DNA sequence: ACGTCCATGTAGCAAAACTACAGGGTGGGT
DNA sequence: ACCCACCCTGTAGTTTTGCTACATGGACGT
């Protein structure tokens, strides 16, 4: 049995289309189709079924794809072994981040990684609301994702999850706001305010609901933005208040925006790295992950002191 | 990185010779040599070193070979998955045994396995004194081996060990022996006797030493045989007494040989199946192992009742 | 009904892996 | 000390394998 073919099956399980697999593996669809056919002939039972214009895996195909992951992991681990022997981190690592995490972590990480001459890290950013984090792992080695505490929407898919940090979400206020002198604010203090929100499906959303429940009222959301820079600009202009991740804020002019911890509400987001388990084994990837973790720890330490 | 090449490296680690690897994998030595060279070039560091007329692995080579095992295990597990889907046990399984275990277990096992039409079990026997059990796992899927309790000469090599049964070793006496009417015998009873032994290095040897220590004397070993049939013939002829595995004895004429448990001496042998871990994953192999275990359990149960 | 998208055949080509054979080095035997 | 046997490794040539390019046929949406 051939590993390359198994790999194709696994890609098919993730991408649901021969053409997509072909694109991802730099082949023509015909080549992929032929190899899958060979695999089926070897297996002696159908692994795929046509479903409309695409095709889906049979139960057997899915089972085989699952075990193909273990093979891939073992293989990557083997190549990592010899990378360790050479003691030189080499290769390309692709990474997607949502903007705030990238701003907070990536510059420091890349500076730290400059010591590895052969390591090339290619970073991209992507709006979190547009992106299905788990799905991105097909195309990127490392996916920086965020979720609320306890909420783990990427479990069960067999992805490797590395927690990087927990970031508190504060209430951002203009300096001339009536609450700006407080040390912290409660749900009841802010429930009546005009809010700047985030698009639907965003993790912040849930906290806003919690504030409504605890504060006993309805939050009025005047605008919805994905970009934090924009949110902060609106706050500073006195057009509303918003939830702002504590470590990420501060692009704006100092002295025009203040952050107040939110009492009694579980307002944190978890920042994690998501990876396909085989990719997580690569030495280059592990090196980047290590850098991310130390950088995240440093950011957190700087803010607590 | 290619799995086939990794596999060759692993075979080389076991067989210590390109020619042997070539034989085992049905290739010419030249082909093996070329592939190993490619692997080295990919790795970027030497994996083998010439040592006299043969060649040995470097540290890096050994490390890589070790992780190649994990790859092989994952791969075999994958093929097992789809064998399970087909729900038909197929393929060849090769097995070596030492004579007594084979006599005791194999006929029943093969009868039980007859229900699997596509399963071909090829059995061979081999004198245990001549054979290095762990080394045999390179050439056979299943190696039936024995050892004394606690003694595990095949640990650390990364082999899969499946315990099948523990068989007591009794003292075999001719029916007209002065101890033949006893229910059991102690070390002091038998230490002065003339013994039929087994060749050096045999596991039984250690027990004889223990008898000497407990009985306080020297055991006189008149003959040394590997074949139990021969040992029993000598016992029945009154030429000596010997340690006889309890479940295996009885080829001879009934009524001319009796077995007596040995009191106070740890006289047992452990019968185990030894396998290379990747081979242990194969469905056909697992099926044979299951049959061996149930058969062994039955033999043990028949004798205790 | 037409165009588009997708999977999959066929033919031809390029790359990879193997065999056959020869050469060079090492160790055991006489 | 010499020779022979053994083992690894090159080179040349062949076979096998996997890919591209192009064409075909079915399914969906407009």
């Amino acid at each position: 049995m051939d590993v390359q073919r198994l790999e194709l099956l696994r890609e098919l399980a993730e991408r649901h289309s021969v053409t997509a697999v072909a694109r991802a593996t730099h082949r023509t669809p015909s080549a992929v189709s032929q190899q899958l056919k060979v695999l089926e002939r070897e297996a002696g039972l159908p692994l795929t079924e046509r479903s409309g214009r695409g095709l889906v895996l049979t139960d057997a195909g899915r089972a085989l794809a699952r075990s193909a992951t273990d093979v891939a992991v073992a293989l990557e681990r083997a190549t990592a072994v010899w990378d360790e022997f050479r003691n030189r981190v080499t290769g390309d690592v692709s990474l997607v981040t949502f903007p705030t995490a990238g701003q907070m972590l990536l510059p420091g990480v890349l500076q730290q990684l400059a010591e590895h001459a052969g390591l090339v890290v290619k970073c991209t950013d992507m709006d979190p609301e547009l992106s299905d984090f788990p799905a991105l792992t097909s195309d990127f080695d490392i996916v920086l994702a965020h979720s609320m505490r306890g909420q783990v929407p990427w479990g069960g898919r067999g992805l490797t999850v590395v927690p990087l940090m927990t970031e508190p979400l504060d209430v951002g206020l203009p300096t001339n706001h009536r609450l700006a002198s407080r040390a912290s604010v409660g749900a009841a203090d802010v429930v009546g305010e005009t809010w700047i929100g985030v698009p639907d499906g965003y993790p912040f959303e849930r906290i806003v609901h919690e504030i409504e429940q605890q504060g006993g009222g309805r939050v009025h959301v005047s605008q919805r933005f994905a970009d934090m820079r924009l949110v902060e600009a609106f706050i500073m202009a006195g057009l509303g208040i918003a939830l702002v991740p504590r470590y990420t804020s501060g692009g704006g002019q100092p002295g025009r925006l203040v952050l107040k911890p939110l009492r009694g509400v579980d307002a944190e987001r978890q920042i994690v790295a998501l990876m396909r388990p085989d990719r997580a084994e690569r030495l280059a990837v592990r090196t980047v992950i290590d850098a991310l973790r130390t950088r995240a720890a440093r950011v957190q330490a700087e803010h607590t002191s």
Side-chain angles (χ1 to χ4, degrees), chain A:
Chain A
M1 150 150 57
D2 187 62
V3 180
Q4 298 255 72
R5 285 193 259 269
L6 270 184
E7 204 62 22
L8 288 181
L9 188 71
R10 191 160 71 93
E11 289 286 345
L12 184 64
E14 285 185 6
R15 301 181 191 273
H16 312 292
S17 136
V18 172
T19 315
V21 173
R23 255 197 309 274
T25 60
H26 310 104
R27 273 181 265 242
T28 55
S30 180
V32 175
S33 181
Q34 288 173 50
Q35 292 306 312
L36 288 174
K37 186 143 293 276
V38 173
L39 193 65
E40 272 196 358
R41 193 162 45 71
E42 284 180 344
L45 43 81
L47 301 174
T48 58
E49 265 177 346
R50 297 203 69 136
S51 156
R53 61 183 160 184
L55 53 69
V56 293
L57 294 182
T58 61
D59 287 346
R62 258 188 301 279
L64 208 51
R66 234 190 317 281
S67 46
T69 302
D70 299 336
V71 177
V73 167
L75 248 177
E76 293 295 349
R77 202 168 285 172
T79 82
V81 161
W82 103 41
D83 276 342
E84 281 163 13
F85 256 89
R86 275 196 309 205
N87 208 23
R88 231 180 62 211
V89 183
T90 328
D92 290 17
V93 175
S94 60
L95 182 152
V96 232
T97 182
F98 50 97
T100 48
Q103 165 199 345
M104 169 170 60
L105 298 173
L106 290 187
V109 165
L110 289 197
Q111 276 168 7
Q112 186 183 331
L113 290 176
E115 61 173 298
H116 297 108
L119 180 63
V120 180
V121 185
K122 302 200 166 165
C123 300
T124 321
D125 67 327
M126 200 158 277
D127 258 331
E129 92 233 63
L130 297 174
S131 53
D132 173 13
F133 286 126
L136 287 175
T137 56
S138 297
D139 294 312
F140 295 92
D141 296 319
I142 301 175
V143 176
L144 295 188
H146 59 188
S147 72
M148 307 320 295
R149 184 214 294 280
Q151 171 190 359
V152 204
W154 30 69
R157 281 224 225 177
L159 292 178
T160 301
V161 183
V162 177
L164 293 177
M165 70 190 302
T166 34
E167 182 176 19
L169 299 175
D170 291 340
V171 178
L173 306 169
T175 33
N176 58 1
H177 195 275
R178 61 176 173 97
L179 297 169
S181 54
R182 299 276 200 90
S184 65
V185 297
D189 297 327
V190 292
V191 73
E193 296 282 331
T194 296
W195 283 75
I196 316 292
V198 289
D200 285 335
Y202 230 74
F204 295 28
E205 197 70 13
R206 226 207 42 188
I207 296 175
V208 174
H209 289 143
E210 205 175 324
I211 291 173
E212 287 179 331
Q213 292 215 325
Q214 288 208 20
R218 288 287 291 173
V219 161
H220 172 240
V221 178
S222 65
Q223 312 292 340
R224 290 182 171 275
F225 293 122
D227 190 322
M228 266 301 146
R229 219 51 78 92
L230 212 43
V231 173
E232 292 182 9
F234 268 65
I235 297 173
M236 294 187 283
L239 295 168
I241 67 174
L243 282 172
V244 178
R246 183 179 303 170
Y247 308 150
T248 321
S249 92
Q253 301 88 332
R256 301 196 41 206
L257 175 71
V258 290
L259 299 177
K260 300 295 164 190
L262 194 52
R263 253 182 297 107
V265 178
D266 182 27
E268 285 182 345
R269 66 172 179 178
Q270 195 113 40
I271 299 180
V272 302
L274 248 49
M275 289 168 288
R276 244 172 46 178
D278 53 324
R279 303 211 164 127
E281 295 292 337
R282 288 178 52 204
L283 181 59
V285 172
R286 276 160 40 200
T287 306
V288 175
I289 288 290
D290 284 348
L292 280 167
R293 286 171 54 190
T294 61
R295 182 73 201 148
R298 165 164 312 207
V299 167
Q300 211 150 10
E302 279 173 0
H303 276 85
T304 48
S305 68

